[in-house]
Amino acid sequence: MAQRDGIAQPWGTRTPYGPGEAWPVRVDSHLAEGLEPADVDRWVRSAAVLHSNGDGLDIAVKDGRIAGVRGRADDRVNRGRLDPKDLFGWQANTSPDRLTTPLVRRDGELVEASWDEAMELVVEHSKQLLDEQGPSAVGFYTSGQLFAEEYYTLAAIARAGIGTNHLDGNTRLCTATAAAALKESFGCDGQPGSYSDVDHADVIALFGHNAAETQAVLWSRILDRLDGPNPPSVLCVDPRETPVARAATLHLAPLPGTNLALMNGLLHEIIEHDWVDHDYLERCTVGYGDLEKMVADYPPERVAAICAVPEAEIRAAAELLGSAERLLCTVLQGFYQSHQAGAAAVQVNNLNLVRGMLGKPGAGVLQMNGQPTAQNTRECGADGDLTGFRNWANDSHVAELAELWNVEQSKIPHYGPPTHLMQMMRYAENGTLRFLWVSATNPAVSLPELRRIRSILTQDRLFLVVQDAFRTETAELADVVLPAAIWGEKTGTFTNADRTVHLSEKAVEPPGQARPDLDILLDYARRMDFRDRDSAPLPQWHDAESAFEAWKRASAGRPCDYTGLSYEKLRTVSGVQWPCNDEHPDGTERLYSDGKFFAQPDYCESYGRDLVTGAPMEPVEYRAMNPDGKAMIKAAEYLPPHEVPGEDHPFALITGRTIYHFHTRTKTARAAQLQAAAPESWVEVSDVDAKRLDLHEGNWAEVTTRRGRIHARVRVGGIREGVLFIPFHYGYFDTEDPAGRDGDRAANELTLTDWDPVSKQPLFKTAAAAIRRSASGRTTASDSIAAGRPRNGVEEDLTAAETKGGAR
Ligand SMILES: Nc1nc2c(c(=O)[nH]1)N[C@H]1C(S)=C(S)[C@@H](COP(=O)(O)OP(=O)(O)OC[C@H]3O[C@@H](n4cnc5c(=O)[nH]c(N)nc54)[C@H](O)[C@@H]3O)O[C@H]1N2
Ligand SMILES: Nc1nc2c(c(=O)[nH]1)N[C@H]1C(S)=C(S)[C@@H](COP(=O)(O)OP(=O)(O)OC[C@H]3O[C@@H](n4cnc5c(=O)[nH]c(N)nc54)[C@H](O)[C@@H]3O)O[C@H]1N2
Ligand SMILES: [Mo]
């Protein structure tokens, strides 16, 4: 077991291996300073929660406190490895500024209150609104970071208890496009591929996915293949020179927002050269003819002009993809949060379908997840889906749920698709949504156009409940704050991006009066006195394991079938991939290996949408198009982004992540090693642009868009010309303005209110921006005056002292 420097060596040492071999074990660990493994009182089974990789680990407990972590050698996902956030992030649990009591707003201030007081306020507001306005006044905005048991409980409460359609997760910001792309192509959510495909692939293509920084253990697996015999070729599609790009055989750096044009161009070449599996297409798919016609208009010379990528590189990339024998594709936020997200992600599915590359070792698509439990939000129906991947537009699916919860079918709203988060925000803005319960997410930093979000969340007429472990920027705006127990302090299951289910057990007591989210939700249900058709309490479960058993029943017969799993089984096997049932008692490595899909009209999760407009398809249209439930090949025309760089805002702005921080840093800023590794925000500028604008490494710069303005330190290089990159991790909780009322730091001050028509995922990666050098990181009076009329270029009149870039 190795204690490595997880900051300096984020991927650790190489353990090379060849195609078809098992990935060697390497066990990583980090313990509190001075603690030896022999001193640990207990090791408690869990998995990593600061990404979607699902790395199995054990939590070290010493004197009733979490004191470290150790990767599990027998885990199917990581074989012992841990990434920097996992090695150090657990320290946040023991942070002295955890929330330990409920808070309620009195005379404008948040003050400590008892659980009874806080919950009664929540219940009183819920009941009053239900009486006066009905269920659509009430909304819930949850997470991709709770456990399956908690989402399933929330879904039952929202749909069958309250009867509201307004329930979504922050998975909307994260993997709504993954889910949408899977539904469009395969009729249903569910990851076709498996991480073990890395062991077999001869070509691995990463589309808008900086896996090196965001799924560091998966990336270690790829690096180990690259160091071994017969390594795979790697294709990277990213406007930045990420660590993935540097390791790649071929790196395409398209202009942000042009992914669909690029994909159409690659498909054009593949079809032109007949690198096509016609037999597979005939047997397993519908729609190929439409694709052929569409991509005929995307020859490399046209695509090169749209994407600003050399024509030869497009041809070379197509040849790499076209000659692969085992092609593994991964897709993430560079596609999902960019222009025409759903349509572009679907083209990656098309690529694998056209090449007949699904369901065999090494060949598959990973429409990735980001958050540790995003898959569960989707499965359990705590987002824009119905529980168990059921189809809201299929009455018999709604009837199944009504049966399961023993309520009238009319109680479960299905007049339209479940309300997506951006629409919920609009309803709150308009005043029809009057109650919003936010759990395990921090929208005051993570949503686009923060000035607007703050103004919505601070309205008097909106009752805002925030359930978190820390006093976040969003908690600062709440009417009631509920202190939550987090990972390590409660028990539950969760599922990673390749359908692997882990059990995470309670290791220590939560601090103060903090309670598990499940307990809080069940307490609310009891106080609201929700009842089923027979006047029995709803929901009927009472703890994590009984909630899991109830969820198993809800999943029975659906693609995400959990019926073959139990807590007991998950205590002996380190990670099982669903579906796991009588037919597949040990789980299922790859979906669709038999060429059969979950797309039959009576079974599918969705009837699909038009890829350009997002208009939903009618059931009869679907039935006519795909009567036998085959995979669907759908084509789409490229359109230019809605906001393109122009005279005032000449740069394309993109945002994203660094390896050392997780999201709004509520955990990683409280781990000294991680915070020290990336203490403050920055903006990446290409060498050419930096030179032209006289921007130098470490300078303060001001970046503006039509929405707002922030300050960040300049980093020169590593990005294509004309593009700026800013990490979105830096909000306000650790500044003098903890609610960010004068916000001048968060990347989302700059982003726009716009979303993909298919997935409704907000576009965090396409906006027009300007940059200039600024005197300091703080907003000054003269800066404020200039804010109304942003300018391009450099401020010429900086004093010598200012150019050194004063500290904040
Ligand atoms: N260290 C760390 N790891 C994490 C997280 C974290 O916060 N920190 N969060 C987790 C979560 S929830 C998620 S969703 C994942 C996200 O994981 P990723 O998607 O890998 O991360 P991002 O940095 O958001 O975006 C990936 C890349 O998209 C590129 N990009 C931007 N615009 C475009 C475009 O128009 N086209 C193309 N092709 N590429 C573009 C960016 O340059 C960036 O390198 O990471 C997970 N893992
Ligand atoms: N500009 C820009 N914006 C983005 C993105 C981007 O790339 N660029 N990415 C988007 C993506 S992919 C994502 S996933 C979102 C993430 O955005 P958020 O979800 O807002 O980010 P987090 O900081 O992870 O917030 C999770 C909160 O849950 C709390 N928490 C953790 N565990 C528990 C628990 O067990 N119970 C409770 N009650 N609370 C808990 C944490 O303390 C934290 O406050 O950001 C999105 N926003
Ligand atoms: Mo995410």
Side-chain angles (χ1 to χ4, degrees):
M1 190 169 70
Q3 286 232 37
R4 72 171 198 272
D5 180 348
I7 299 296
Q9 304 171 282
W11 307 292
T13 48
R14 298 281 55 80
T15 50
Y17 71 122
E21 293 171 9
W23 189 27
V25 167
R26 185 194 86 196
V27 175
D28 298 336
S29 171
H30 182 80
L31 294 178
E33 205 170 320
L35 192 70
E36 294 298 323
D39 303 333
V40 172
D41 296 337
R42 285 180 303 129
W43 293 96
V44 178
R45 179 175 278 260
S46 182
V49 283
L50 297 173
H51 47 73
S52 60
N53 215 50
D55 301 323
L57 58 76
D58 292 324
I59 301 173
V61 180
K62 176 71 183 168
D63 299 333
R65 282 163 69 93
I66 297 183
V69 288
R70 173 181 74 186
R72 258 204 317 273
D74 66 340
D75 190 76
R76 70 163 296 277
V77 172
N78 63 333
R79 300 197 207 244
R81 290 162 191 78
L82 295 176
D83 89 351
K85 294 192 288 15
D86 305 327
L87 288 171
F88 304 116
W90 53 268
Q91 296 166 102
N93 281 65
T94 58
S95 167
D97 63 348
R98 285 283 302 273
L99 287 170
T100 54
T101 70
L103 306 173
V104 300
R105 191 167 295 280
R106 270 206 211 99
D107 304 324
E109 298 292 317
L110 285 173
V111 296
E112 293 190 357
S114 69
W115 271 104
D116 271 340
E117 265 174 282
M119 290 306 285
E120 280 311 316
L121 262 181
V122 175
V123 166
E124 188 189 306
H125 271 83
S126 310
K127 285 187 172 163
Q128 191 186 340
L129 283 167
L130 283 176
D131 280 353
E132 287 171 6
Q133 278 181 250
S136 59
V138 177
F140 297 86
Y141 178 40
T142 190
S143 186
Q145 299 174 42
L146 299 180
F147 292 146
E149 293 77 357
E150 294 167 332
Y151 298 129
Y152 181 56
T153 303
L154 179 57
I157 287 175
R159 310 278 191 223
I162 302 269
T164 179
N165 212 20
H166 309 326
L167 163 61
D168 202 0
N170 68 357
T171 47
R172 185 64 62 184
L173 324 181
C174 185
T175 57
T177 305
L182 295 170
K183 288 184 232 178
E184 292 303 327
S185 300
F186 310 118
C188 189
D189 198 339
Q191 195 67 267
S194 173
Y195 290 162
S196 49
D197 287 332
V198 171
D199 309 348
H200 303 274
D202 65 345
V203 175
I204 303 177
L206 297 96
F207 294 96
H209 182 193
N210 184 11
E213 300 202 60
T214 59
Q215 269 138 340
V217 169
L218 180 64
W219 183 244
S220 297
R221 196 167 186 155
I222 296 175
L223 288 179
D224 285 346
R225 276 295 316 276
L226 291 176
D227 255 21
N230 301 317
S233 301
V234 171
L235 171 67
C236 170
V237 179
D238 194 309
R240 296 161 63 220
E241 217 177 274
T242 59
V244 175
R246 287 196 291 274
T249 321
L250 190 56
H251 172 208
L252 303 187
L255 279 178
T258 64
N259 295 319
L260 180 58
L262 180 70
M263 292 310 301
N264 282 350
L266 295 172
L267 284 162
H268 171 103
E269 283 297 283
I270 283 168
I271 290 175
E272 179 110 333
H273 289 87
D274 201 28
W275 292 315
V276 174
D277 186 338
H278 294 284
D279 173 56
Y280 186 84
L281 288 177
E282 179 63 30
R283 228 171 359 103
C284 302
T285 70
V286 295
Y288 177 61
D290 298 342
L291 183 74
E292 248 184 323
K293 249 182 262 146
M294 176 67 69
V295 302
D297 288 340
Y298 291 82
E301 43 293 2
R302 178 177 174 218
V303 172
I306 296 173
C307 304
V309 167
E311 203 183 307
E313 287 184 8
I314 296 170
R315 292 185 196 279
E319 187 172 352
L320 193 64
L321 299 168
S323 58
E325 282 170 21
R326 292 167 189 271
L327 170 64
L328 174 63
C329 291
T330 78
V331 196
L332 202 46
Q333 301 308 352
F335 271 46
Y336 299 166
Q337 295 175 341
S338 193
H339 176 60
Q340 294 192 292
V346 162
Q347 302 317 310
V348 180
N349 295 340
N350 287 347
L351 176 63
N352 282 60
L353 287 170
V354 165
R355 300 246 36 243
M357 293 281 172
L358 271 189
K360 63 178 182 185
V365 184
L366 293 168
Q367 295 281 357
M368 290 298 312
N369 295 346
Q371 292 174 92
T373 77
Q375 191 63 52
N376 307 103
T377 319
R378 280 146 51 185
E379 292 158 11
C380 296
D383 63 346
D385 301 300
L386 290 191
T387 300
F389 295 155
R390 286 182 175 81
N391 187 342
W392 63 267
N394 183 335
D395 279 348
S396 70
H397 287 200
V398 180
E400 281 172 22
L401 278 184
E403 200 54 41
L404 196 67
W405 293 328
N406 194 25
V407 295
E408 296 299 331
Q409 194 173 331
S410 57
K411 180 82 190 188
I412 301 170
H414 56 287
Y415 50 84
T419 318
H420 65 91
L421 190 260
M422 297 299 280
Q423 187 64 41
M424 276 163 60
M425 285 293 157
R426 180 74 78 216
Y427 289 151
E429 191 169 38
N430 295 344
T432 58
L433 191 107
R434 291 288 175 92
F435 172 108
L436 184 63
W437 186 334
V438 174
S439 49
T441 183
N442 188 10
V445 181
S446 57
L447 284 183
E449 204 179 345
L450 286 180
R451 191 163 41 173
R452 168 175 177 260
I453 296 303
R454 281 190 295 270
S455 82
I456 293 171
L457 296 181
T458 47
Q459 294 172 98
D460 278 346
R461 62 186 175 190
L462 179 73
F463 187 77
L464 180 66
V465 182
V466 172
Q467 183 167 314
D468 204 292
F470 297 99
R471 193 157 165 161
T472 61
E473 291 81 348
T474 312
E476 292 293 340
L477 311 178
D479 295 291
V480 173
V481 179
L482 303 175
I486 53 177
W487 170 89
E489 299 160 0
K490 59 180 182 177
T491 293
T493 52
F494 62 97
T495 307
N496 78 348
D498 84 340
R499 292 173 282 104
T500 305
V501 186
H502 283 104
L503 175 66
S504 180
E505 304 223 52
K506 177 173 168 176
V508 298
E509 289 301 324
Q513 299 173 39
R515 297 168 72 187
D517 298 86
L518 181 68
D519 291 12
I520 299 172
L521 291 168
L522 290 173
D523 184 20
Y524 174 70
R526 300 287 125 82
R527 289 175 194 260
M528 289 295 289
D529 199 25
F530 296 130
R531 299 277 164 171
D532 69 12
R533 252 187 316 216
D534 300 320
S535 301
L538 180 107
Q540 296 205 2
W541 49 93
H542 56 275
D543 64 1
E545 192 158 3
S546 58
F548 185 73
E549 291 300 319
W551 158 237
K552 276 164 63 177
R553 288 191 289 279
S555 74
R558 296 301 299 164
C560 50
D561 195 330
Y562 279 65
T563 49
L565 288 172
S566 63
Y567 276 20
E568 209 37 59
K569 182 163 186 161
L570 292 168
R571 285 189 181 112
T572 53
V573 188
S574 196
V576 182
Q577 288 172 289
W578 65 245
C580 179
N581 50 21
D582 287 346
E583 206 183 322
H584 306 280
D586 299 320
T588 309
E589 193 167 19
R590 289 177 191 86
L591 299 183
Y592 314 140
S593 40
D594 55 0
K596 301 249 176 342
F597 298 86
F598 301 128
Q600 297 83 357
D602 295 328
Y603 190 76
C604 68
E605 183 183 10
S606 163
Y607 297 126
R609 291 176 181 275
D610 182 280
L611 288 191
V612 173
T613 64
M617 271 173 74
E618 293 298 324
V620 285
E621 282 177 88
Y622 184 91
R623 216 171 268 282
M625 178 217 16
N626 192 17
D628 303 320
K630 295 184 175 186
M632 293 162 280
I633 294 184
K634 293 188 175 177
E637 185 83 74
Y638 166 76
L639 302 169
H642 301 160
E643 185 173 281
V644 288
E647 203 183 322
D648 285 349
H649 298 93
F651 287 89
L653 171 70
I654 57 178
T655 60
R657 295 161 164 79
T658 164
I659 190 164
Y660 299 116
H661 279 302
F662 185 63
H663 298 169
T664 71
R665 293 183 307 128
T666 61
K667 290 183 178 176
T668 50
R670 292 178 170 91
Q673 299 87 341
L674 297 170
Q675 177 61 12
E680 62 184 4
S681 190
W682 71 90
V683 50
E684 285 172 29
V685 192
S686 76
D687 303 285
V688 175
D689 292 321
K691 197 154 185 214
R692 192 166 50 80
L693 298 175
D694 195 25
L695 293 166
H696 304 274
E697 188 78 19
N699 281 170
W700 279 106
E702 179 191 87
V703 184
T704 50
T705 67
R706 296 194 182 101
R707 273 75 50 193
R709 174 176 61 134
I710 65 159
H711 293 92
R713 297 267 194 196
V714 170
R715 282 194 189 174
V716 177
I719 191 162
R720 66 161 296 152
E721 225 181 303
V723 183
L724 303 175
F725 171 87
I726 304 177
F728 84 104
H729 302 298
Y730 300 86
Y732 305 98
F733 76 86
D734 53 351
T735 70
E736 284 154 24
D737 176 23
R741 287 176 208 276
D742 306 321
D744 76 339
R745 176 155 91 153
N748 278 324
E749 306 294 344
L750 305 176
T751 48
L752 69 171
T753 302
D754 192 5
W755 54 83
D756 179 59
V758 181
S759 67
K760 320 297 179 198
Q761 182 161 346
L763 306 185
F764 293 109
K765 297 199 185 347
T766 317
I771 183 169
R772 60 169 192 164
R773 208 151 83 192
S774 75
S776 75
R778 274 273 161 238
T779 308
T780 63
S782 60
D783 281 340
S784 301
I785 295 161
R789 37 187 176 84
R791 273 173 298 162
N792 299 329
V794 201
E795 270 293 64
E796 296 296 350
D797 54 355
L798 297 177
T799 65
E802 284 169 330
T803 55
K804 289 193 193 115
R808 281 183 76 94

